[in-house]
Amino acid sequence: FISHNGDDTYMLIRNSDDMIVDTFGMLGADPGRAFTVCGDTTATQDHTLIRKSSISTGNPNWATQIGTDAASCEWIILPRNDFSNGAYHTCVLPQSTLFISEVMEGSSNNKAVEIYNPMGSAVMLSGYMLGKTVNGGSMVEYNMTFAAGLMIAGGGTYTVCNSRIATTYQPQCDILSSFISHNGDDVYMIIEIASDSILDTFGALGPDVGSAFSVCGDARATQDNTLVRKPSVVRGNPDWSMQNGTNASNCEWLIRPLNDFTNGGEHACVRPTGTLFFSEMMEGSSYNKAIEIYNAMQVTVSLSGYTLGKTVNGGFTVEYNFSFLANATISPGGTYTLCSNRIDMVNQAQCNNLT
């Protein structure tokens, strides 16, 4: 089954819903001798391609995999017959950081800032401080530090509220402080003390914006509203222009009414999970052909739930299918490599299945 040239396409298909989880190549007209990848028009011919370590999920859209140059594509191109990475793969999942998960800019003294820990382990808050700039400014004007030994549990929050917040909200506060006093044009930042780096921001340093910052296309979003970070956000973002977006779909926030603190003291965060994906493809001389599948999930996966599809020399439908053995599995962070049944002996030790 593993027999291909540079213009052939493989697809990893999940049987339960017939979904293409990942692809190498693209259905359609024959591209000629090879598919262009990373700007190299001969990339898939007489080369080995390995997925970049930053990739943690399959991508059924080949056009967004291939990019236009080495920086924008998902692959690294290696020389012909290079199988030095066969049977293992490095995948670096995105690292989470503390971030601001909720800001209440309510009436009177109903003000609060909530910090969330999306990581799997507790974090010591004394290694961080909360910075603030009022009515515009190019630098942090005020800082709030945290008590030594103060921790946020993994998946937990720490909520700092104005010292005169309404009593109805106080059970959702971890600490009352006069530091939390703001209007719609003020900025908060989470700063890592050791590196003096801003991990997350609410608002942007610079000239005073007037009454409020625009968020999700709402020009007055940060005034007289509560803003809650979307569950899809898993790390801080020091670039406010990448947070606030232009509409409800492309921003990182949900806008709630004045004095809404129903989510105070808790936060929902849904960490992205990896998938199976193609991590290496060897299109070498003669029968030196191989395809490697990587498991970026946190559980062992049975390959019997998947099918490997193939289309040769162009085509608009899957022409050939390969079913995995019932006992074929991939452990978390592991690989499963299918090789041509006539691959060179020197490469066979890196193969799980000769086919």
Side-chain angles (χ1 to χ4, degrees), residues 83 288 337 339-354:
F83 206 37
N288 287 317
T337 306
C339 303
S340 165
N341 57 7
R342 299 177 67 182
I343 195 170
D344 287 354
M345 288 288 295
V346 69
N347 295 320
Q348 289 189 16
Q350 293 153 283
C351 304
N352 296 102
N353 192 330
L354 301 178

Side-chain angles (χ1 to χ4, degrees), residues 181-202:
S181 177
H182 52 264
N183 294 306
D185 59 345
D186 300 332
V187 177
Y188 286 102
M189 291 152 281
I190 297 177
I191 301 168
E192 186 180 51
I193 295 173
S195 63
D196 195 32
S197 59
I198 297 172
L199 300 184
D200 196 25
T201 188
F202 183 86

Side-chain angles (χ1 to χ4, degrees), residues 47-50 78-86 280-284 347 350:
H47 290 106
T48 294
L49 276 71
I50 60 172
L78 300 179
R80 187 184 196 188
N81 292 330
D82 187 330
F83 206 37
S84 57
N85 294 283
E280 184 167 354
M281 173 72 70
M282 180 167 70
E283 205 287 293
N347 295 320
Q350 293 153 283

